[in-house]
Amino acid sequence: MSLLSTHFVRYMQGRKTPGADPKLFIRDLWFENVPVRIYQPKAPSASQRRAVMFFHGGGWVFGSIETHEELCRFIARESESVVVSVGYRLAPEHKYPAAYEDCLSATQHFLQHLERFGVDPARVAVCGDSAGGNLAAAVSQSLAGSSDLPRLRAQILIYPGLQALDFNLPSYQQNRGVPLLFRERAAFYMLQYLNGNAIKLEEVLEGSHIPIDIKLKYKKWVSPDNIPEEFKVRGYKPRVLLDCTTEVFETVKRFCEPNLCPLLAEDTIIQQLPESFILTCEYDVLRDDGLLYKKRLEDNGVPVTWYHLEDGFHGIINSFNSGWLSFPAGKRGLDNIVNFLRGL
C-alpha cells in the first residue's frame, strides 16, 4: 500500500464529524505534545468520576480520534465516565515506539492532573481496540511498577494484538481470510509499525523471522499448547519450527520487546497488572493473542473478566451503531464493557 493511498483512506475515515452531544462536554486539548479529545458527562456528579484513557485501533497505520468518536461518546455517556481519546502518531511515517510513547506520555500527563477533570485517582482505566489494545496493554505494563503516579484501576483490551512471534496460531490458520483483518494484513501492519515498511513479510508469515532458541524461550507463553482445545476444533495443523538467518532477525528483533509485544513481558511485570477485561471474537486472527494473555494474567493472579463473542469478528465493536451495518454482537460486547466499567 502506497503512502498516498494510506493518506486517502485516513482522509475518508476522518470526514464524518458528529455534532454536539446533549449529555457530554467535548473538547480538544494537548497533553504534552499529544492531541487528545476529552468527553465529560454534563450531569453533575456527587463524587469524583471514573476515567478511561482510550487508544483507537487501526493497525497503528489508520484510525484516529474521529473514527472512534461515536464509540468514545457511548462509553462516556453509558458508563458516566470521563473518556480521554488519544490521537497518537501513526506508522509508517512514525515508527515504533512513537505510538506507544504518545499513549504513555498522554496517560502520565492525565494521571498527574486528575483533579482538573474531577476524576477519582483510584478509578482510572486504560482501554483500546486491536492496535489500541496492544497500546493499552503496553502502557499498563509500563505503569505497573510506578510509585509516583496513581495506580491504574483496570485495563480493557478489545481483541488486542499482543505478539508477532507466531502468525500460525490456530486463530490465524482458521480465520486467515476472514474480514475485517486478514492474516497477511495483521503481519503487514505489525511490520509497518516496527519498521515503516513490509520487508520480510513472507518470512514473518511462515515463521522464519525468529531464531529457534528464542522461540523455545517464549514457548511457555506463545504456544498453541496454551490454547484450550475447543478453539482448535475448526481446524489446526501444528507447524514445523523454522530457524531464521541473522539478517532477517536483525530487521525484526524488536518484536521481542514487551512494549511492542506485551505478551512477552516477564512474570514480575504481569503480576503487578490491574484487574483486566479481555474481549475476544471467534472469527478473528487475533483471538488467540487474547486467550494467551488471559492465561498469563490468570496464572499470575490477576483478576480477568473474559467476554468471548462466538459470533463476532475483528472490528465488530466499532460497528455498534453503523445503521444497516450494525451487528447485535457488537452492541452486546460493548454493553459488557460498559457494565465492567460501571463496576469499578
Short mmCIF file of all heavy atoms in Angstrom, two decimals, residues 100-121:
data_model
loop_
_atom_site.label_atom_id
_atom_site.label_comp_id
_atom_site.label_asym_id
_atom_site.label_seq_id
_atom_site.Cartn_x
_atom_site.Cartn_y
_atom_site.Cartn_z
N TYR A 100 3.39 4.11 21.01
CA TYR A 100 3.47 3.72 22.42
C TYR A 100 3.90 4.90 23.30
O TYR A 100 3.30 5.16 24.36
CB TYR A 100 4.46 2.55 22.57
CG TYR A 100 5.05 2.42 23.95
CD1 TYR A 100 4.29 1.90 25.00
CD2 TYR A 100 6.36 2.83 24.21
CE1 TYR A 100 4.84 1.80 26.28
CE2 TYR A 100 6.90 2.73 25.47
CZ TYR A 100 6.13 2.22 26.51
OH TYR A 100 6.67 2.13 27.77
N GLU A 101 4.90 5.64 22.86
CA GLU A 101 5.39 6.77 23.66
C GLU A 101 4.33 7.85 23.82
O GLU A 101 4.17 8.44 24.89
CB GLU A 101 6.66 7.35 23.03
CG GLU A 101 7.87 6.45 23.23
CD GLU A 101 9.11 6.97 22.53
OE1 GLU A 101 8.99 7.85 21.65
OE2 GLU A 101 10.22 6.48 22.86
N ASP A 102 3.56 8.11 22.74
CA ASP A 102 2.49 9.10 22.82
C ASP A 102 1.41 8.68 23.82
O ASP A 102 0.92 9.49 24.62
CB ASP A 102 1.85 9.31 21.44
CG ASP A 102 2.73 10.12 20.51
OD1 ASP A 102 3.80 10.59 20.94
OD2 ASP A 102 2.34 10.29 19.33
N CYS A 103 1.03 7.41 23.76
CA CYS A 103 -0.02 6.90 24.66
C CYS A 103 0.45 6.92 26.11
O CYS A 103 -0.31 7.31 27.01
CB CYS A 103 -0.45 5.50 24.25
SG CYS A 103 -1.31 5.46 22.65
N LEU A 104 1.70 6.54 26.33
CA LEU A 104 2.25 6.56 27.69
C LEU A 104 2.36 7.98 28.21
O LEU A 104 1.95 8.28 29.34
CB LEU A 104 3.63 5.88 27.70
CG LEU A 104 4.33 5.83 29.07
CD1 LEU A 104 3.51 5.07 30.08
CD2 LEU A 104 5.73 5.22 28.93
N SER A 105 2.86 8.87 27.36
CA SER A 105 3.04 10.27 27.76
C SER A 105 1.69 10.92 28.10
O SER A 105 1.56 11.61 29.12
CB SER A 105 3.73 11.03 26.62
OG SER A 105 3.72 12.41 26.85
N ALA A 106 0.67 10.69 27.25
CA ALA A 106 -0.66 11.26 27.49
C ALA A 106 -1.26 10.71 28.78
O ALA A 106 -1.88 11.45 29.56
CB ALA A 106 -1.58 10.97 26.31
N THR A 107 -1.06 9.42 29.04
CA THR A 107 -1.61 8.80 30.25
C THR A 107 -0.92 9.34 31.50
O THR A 107 -1.58 9.67 32.50
CB THR A 107 -1.46 7.27 30.18
OG1 THR A 107 -2.08 6.79 28.97
CG2 THR A 107 -2.12 6.59 31.37
N GLN A 108 0.39 9.47 31.44
CA GLN A 108 1.13 10.02 32.58
C GLN A 108 0.68 11.45 32.87
O GLN A 108 0.47 11.83 34.02
CB GLN A 108 2.64 9.97 32.30
CG GLN A 108 3.21 8.56 32.34
CD GLN A 108 4.63 8.49 31.81
OE1 GLN A 108 5.01 9.23 30.90
NE2 GLN A 108 5.43 7.59 32.37
N HIS A 109 0.51 12.25 31.82
CA HIS A 109 0.07 13.64 31.98
C HIS A 109 -1.30 13.68 32.65
O HIS A 109 -1.53 14.46 33.58
CB HIS A 109 0.03 14.33 30.61
CG HIS A 109 -0.42 15.75 30.69
ND1 HIS A 109 0.46 16.81 30.80
CD2 HIS A 109 -1.67 16.30 30.69
CE1 HIS A 109 -0.22 17.94 30.85
NE2 HIS A 109 -1.52 17.65 30.79
N PHE A 110 -2.21 12.84 32.17
CA PHE A 110 -3.56 12.81 32.73
C PHE A 110 -3.53 12.41 34.20
O PHE A 110 -4.19 13.02 35.05
CB PHE A 110 -4.42 11.83 31.92
CG PHE A 110 -5.87 11.81 32.32
CD1 PHE A 110 -6.66 12.95 32.23
CD2 PHE A 110 -6.47 10.64 32.78
CE1 PHE A 110 -8.00 12.94 32.59
CE2 PHE A 110 -7.81 10.61 33.14
CZ PHE A 110 -8.58 11.76 33.04
N LEU A 111 -2.74 11.39 34.53
CA LEU A 111 -2.66 10.92 35.92
C LEU A 111 -2.08 11.98 36.85
O LEU A 111 -2.36 11.99 38.06
CB LEU A 111 -1.80 9.64 35.99
CG LEU A 111 -2.43 8.38 35.39
CD1 LEU A 111 -1.40 7.26 35.31
CD2 LEU A 111 -3.65 7.93 36.19
N GLN A 112 -1.33 12.91 36.28
CA GLN A 112 -0.76 14.00 37.09
C GLN A 112 -1.73 15.16 37.27
O GLN A 112 -1.51 16.05 38.09
CB GLN A 112 0.53 14.51 36.44
CG GLN A 112 1.70 13.54 36.54
CD GLN A 112 2.81 13.87 35.55
OE1 GLN A 112 2.65 14.71 34.66
NE2 GLN A 112 3.94 13.18 35.67
N HIS A 113 -2.82 15.18 36.48
CA HIS A 113 -3.75 16.32 36.51
C HIS A 113 -5.21 15.89 36.65
O HIS A 113 -6.10 16.51 36.09
CB HIS A 113 -3.58 17.17 35.23
CG HIS A 113 -2.20 17.73 35.05
ND1 HIS A 113 -1.21 17.06 34.36
CD2 HIS A 113 -1.64 18.87 35.50
CE1 HIS A 113 -0.10 17.79 34.38
NE2 HIS A 113 -0.34 18.89 35.06
N LEU A 114 -5.45 14.85 37.42
CA LEU A 114 -6.80 14.30 37.53
C LEU A 114 -7.80 15.28 38.16
O LEU A 114 -8.97 15.31 37.79
CB LEU A 114 -6.78 13.00 38.33
CG LEU A 114 -5.99 11.84 37.69
CD1 LEU A 114 -5.93 10.65 38.63
CD2 LEU A 114 -6.62 11.43 36.36
N GLU A 115 -7.32 16.07 39.12
CA GLU A 115 -8.24 17.00 39.81
C GLU A 115 -8.89 17.96 38.84
O GLU A 115 -10.06 18.32 39.00
CB GLU A 115 -7.47 17.83 40.86
CG GLU A 115 -6.91 17.02 42.01
CD GLU A 115 -5.63 17.64 42.55
OE1 GLU A 115 -5.54 18.88 42.60
OE2 GLU A 115 -4.72 16.87 42.90
N ARG A 116 -8.13 18.38 37.84
CA ARG A 116 -8.64 19.34 36.87
C ARG A 116 -9.89 18.81 36.16
O ARG A 116 -10.75 19.57 35.72
CB ARG A 116 -7.54 19.64 35.85
CG ARG A 116 -7.89 20.78 34.89
CD ARG A 116 -6.88 20.88 33.75
NE ARG A 116 -5.50 21.03 34.21
CZ ARG A 116 -4.45 21.00 33.40
NH1 ARG A 116 -4.64 20.82 32.09
NH2 ARG A 116 -3.23 21.15 33.86
N PHE A 117 -10.00 17.48 36.07
CA PHE A 117 -11.11 16.88 35.34
C PHE A 117 -12.12 16.17 36.27
O PHE A 117 -13.02 15.48 35.81
CB PHE A 117 -10.56 15.88 34.31
CG PHE A 117 -9.56 16.50 33.37
CD1 PHE A 117 -8.20 16.32 33.57
CD2 PHE A 117 -9.98 17.31 32.32
CE1 PHE A 117 -7.27 16.92 32.72
CE2 PHE A 117 -9.06 17.91 31.47
CZ PHE A 117 -7.71 17.72 31.67
N GLY A 118 -11.95 16.38 37.59
CA GLY A 118 -12.88 15.80 38.54
C GLY A 118 -12.86 14.29 38.56
O GLY A 118 -13.90 13.64 38.73
N VAL A 119 -11.65 13.72 38.40
CA VAL A 119 -11.52 12.26 38.28
C VAL A 119 -10.97 11.65 39.58
O VAL A 119 -10.06 12.20 40.20
CB VAL A 119 -10.60 11.90 37.08
CG1 VAL A 119 -10.17 10.44 37.13
CG2 VAL A 119 -11.31 12.21 35.78
N ASP A 120 -11.53 10.52 39.94
CA ASP A 120 -11.10 9.76 41.11
C ASP A 120 -9.78 9.06 40.78
O ASP A 120 -9.74 8.21 39.89
CB ASP A 120 -12.19 8.73 41.43
CG ASP A 120 -11.87 7.89 42.66
OD1 ASP A 120 -10.72 7.95 43.16
OD2 ASP A 120 -12.76 7.16 43.13
N PRO A 121 -8.71 9.36 41.52
CA PRO A 121 -7.40 8.75 41.23
C PRO A 121 -7.40 7.22 41.37
O PRO A 121 -6.52 6.55 40.82
CB PRO A 121 -6.46 9.37 42.27
CG PRO A 121 -7.19 10.51 42.86
CD PRO A 121 -8.65 10.29 42.66
#
